[in-house]
Amino acid sequence: MEQYIFPAVFFQEEDESDYTVVFPDLNIYTDGKTLVEAFLFAKDYLKVYCTYAKKYDVEIVKPAKLTDVISKFPKAICMLVDAIVPEKVSD
């Protein structure tokens, strides 16, 4: 098993309903109705992304430091999200 950990940025919509989650290093995003749901969707999406990157031999970039991401998005919620991916990804 391999673990990947990336900073994620959580933006709450202006009407304070949903949350949008962005992984700045990977240029991917997802969303959720609550912060917890958005976090769980982000965790799942990161796992899928890393699994397919490994399967198709696509380089997974080195993640930025969380402190650097926080300084770029001071008004958003920033946290680390991890994904555990099997060593070998089957077809």
Side-chain angles (χ1 to χ4, degrees):
M1 300 285 200
E2 289 185 69
Q3 183 179 34
Y4 296 92
I5 303 171
F6 280 87
V9 183
F10 294 75
F11 298 98
Q12 190 169 25
E13 300 298 323
E14 288 183 16
D15 63 358
E16 297 185 7
S17 58
D18 297 350
Y19 287 85
T20 299
V21 186
V22 177
F23 288 95
D25 298 317
L26 304 172
N27 200 26
I28 59 174
Y29 66 94
T30 186
D31 59 9
K33 294 197 179 296
T34 66
L35 184 58
V36 171
E37 183 180 78
F39 176 81
L40 293 174
F41 286 169
K43 190 172 173 66
D44 187 51
Y45 193 26
L46 181 60
K47 180 179 180 180
V48 170
Y49 177 89
C50 293
T51 299
Y52 278 91
K54 284 187 64 171
K55 181 176 181 176
Y56 294 107
D57 204 25
V58 174
E59 182 182 358
I60 299 173
V61 299
K62 184 178 175 184
K65 293 180 181 178
L66 180 60
T67 53
D68 293 342
V69 174
I70 290 170
S71 67
K72 289 181 185 175
F73 303 97
K75 294 187 179 191
I77 299 168
C78 300
M79 64 179 88
L80 294 174
V81 177
D82 76 316
I84 298 175
V85 178
E87 289 276 334
K88 288 209 170 223
V89 180
S90 61
D91 291 333

